[in-house]
Amino acid sequence: MPVDLELLTLGIDLGGSKILTAVVNPQGEMLSSDESITPAIKGREAIIQSILNSARRVLKLASVAISEICAIGVGAAGISNPETGILFTSPNLPRLRDVPLRDIVQEKLGKKTFLINDANAAALGELYFGAARGARNFIYITLSTGIGGGIVIDGKIYTGVIGAAGEVGHMTIDDNGPICNCGNRGCWETLASGTALAKEAKRRIKEGAKTSILDYAYGDVEKVAAQVVHAAARQGDSLAKEVIARTGYYVGVGLANLINIFNPELIVIGGGLSNIGDMLLEPAFKTAEARAYKEAFQAVHFASAELGRNSGVLGAAAFALQEMRKLPCE
Ligand SMILES: [Zn+2]
């Protein structure tokens, strides 16, 4: 084994609602982990301080000195340029704009640091430690409140020119579709995310559709979320099943696009919405099969993400490890 496989890394996952940190060994095991709330509304300094505090806590918890860590990987929600280490913009963290996050963390903690988008980090996490081990060409997608993704080509994450690659949730599926948070219309995530599913269920309920969905939402239409619709569907509610199948159909339209563009060997699907399982994914795969090139569809496998909520923090650590292999350890 090369000596650098002995290295420990510090992974940091900066999300819109929480900060996860972990000391990770090269096998993807977490020696310690820490979770805290992202002080999103308090602003830039408070967010950076929370990251640093969490990093220091997690090192202490593992009884590891910063000098024993080879590198730090930060996976951040939003668009980050891995080359310059700048976080441009983060829809869930509007106070963070054009922040040189990599260099700040590097300077304050005194260790070589790397920055990447959180979904790209999650793709790397699955590649090194999860469902995509051994794959060379695969796409990772996370179906959640939005839709994120990561593209791995020939064993490497494809980040694009400024780090904005893999934003699969913002490919246009319906040119006249609903307005997206990004400003465009009919993005994949406006039709196939958990938020889209809940919105469609609410719309149908308000139109007076016959359904038991409200029984699972304390009778309050505003409390209808994807899990609520799923609960009703499991009890056989036909509107709930219909809304999930419709969302699955749109998941499949996006999958067909990805299959035709990338011809991947594997698509790893994660995120809370994917926990609905067959009710969502069967119509998705059926639609993808009907729409993608036959040969490309036959060549692709689908797998469920294995790392769950730790995919980002493990992926950030994996990114640091991957980048350090190019560099001498300090
Ligand atoms: Zn969009």
Side-chain angles (χ1 to χ4, degrees):
M1 289 283 219
V3 68
D4 69 356
L5 288 177
E6 307 278 328
L7 301 173
L8 295 178
T9 45
L10 172 60
I12 298 172
D13 180 11
L14 170 63
S17 57
K18 63 182 188 302
I19 296 166
L20 283 175
T21 56
V23 174
V24 181
N25 73 13
Q27 289 75 46
E29 292 157 349
M30 302 197 295
L31 308 191
S32 61
S33 64
D34 181 81
E35 179 174 342
S36 53
I37 304 284
T38 309
I41 51 164
K42 287 193 182 163
R44 169 181 163 147
E45 291 315 312
I47 295 169
I48 290 168
Q49 205 48 54
S50 293
I51 294 170
L52 299 174
N53 291 344
S54 178
R56 290 180 181 124
R57 276 198 303 272
V58 85
L59 287 166
K60 203 172 166 198
L61 214 57
S63 304
V64 168
I66 191 77
S67 59
E68 295 172 86
I69 296 282
C70 185
I72 299 168
V74 182
I79 296 180
S80 294
N81 187 338
E83 296 292 323
T84 61
I86 291 174
L87 173 66
F88 292 122
T89 171
S90 185
N92 296 320
L93 296 167
R95 302 286 182 94
L96 296 186
R97 282 198 84 87
D98 300 324
V99 181
L101 190 58
R102 178 192 68 191
D103 292 355
I104 292 171
V105 171
Q106 182 163 298
E107 193 200 312
K108 297 283 184 189
L109 294 177
K111 189 55 66 174
K112 186 80 188 162
T113 301
F114 301 93
L115 174 69
I116 192 168
N117 158 277
D118 58 348
N120 285 342
L124 280 177
E126 294 293 338
L127 175 67
Y128 280 90
F129 309 130
R133 267 172 291 193
R136 299 292 297 169
N137 296 288
F138 84 98
I139 312 277
Y140 166 81
I141 64 164
T142 172
L143 304 173
S144 184
T145 48
I147 300 181
I151 298 157
V152 171
I153 297 173
D154 207 16
K156 288 204 172 61
I157 190 80
Y158 178 72
T159 55
V161 178
I162 59 153
E167 291 290 340
V168 296
H170 301 282
M171 66 174 144
T172 302
I173 299 291
D174 177 356
D175 65 340
N176 273 317
I179 290 182
C180 182
N181 289 335
C182 75
N184 184 30
R185 263 186 190 281
C187 290
W188 196 19
E189 72 174 38
T190 68
L191 297 161
S193 64
T195 310
L197 189 154
K199 213 169 150 188
E200 177 65 10
K202 285 179 192 170
R203 189 183 69 79
R204 298 286 301 272
I205 292 166
K206 285 175 183 168
E207 277 178 6
K210 195 175 168 310
T211 173
S212 66
I213 291 174
L214 284 182
D215 298 348
Y216 300 86
Y218 308 100
D220 180 355
V221 71
E222 294 312 320
K223 289 200 165 62
V224 170
Q227 304 93 299
V228 166
V229 179
H230 184 210
R234 274 200 307 253
Q235 299 305 316
D237 184 274
S238 57
L239 177 73
K241 286 197 282 189
E242 194 187 318
V243 170
I244 290 173
R246 177 184 184 273
T247 307
Y249 164 81
Y250 282 118
V251 170
V253 174
L255 289 177
N257 291 345
L258 294 173
I259 291 166
N260 280 354
I261 296 168
F262 293 102
N263 181 205
E265 65 192 280
L266 174 70
I267 295 179
V268 175
I269 303 175
L273 188 68
S274 67
N275 294 334
I276 289 179
D278 288 349
M279 229 185 274
L280 178 85
L281 296 177
E282 268 178 20
F285 297 152
K286 215 173 119 198
T287 304
E289 184 173 16
R291 287 175 170 261
Y293 266 135
K294 188 173 160 226
E295 292 77 9
F297 184 82
Q298 283 169 347
V300 71
H301 292 88
F302 297 97
S304 298
E306 288 179 6
L307 303 180
R309 62 200 302 279
N310 293 326
S311 63
V313 72
L314 288 174
F319 183 58
L321 194 68
Q322 179 188 293
E323 293 300 291
M324 283 309 281
R325 281 182 179 151
K326 298 176 190 166
L327 300 165
C329 192
E330 286 164 9

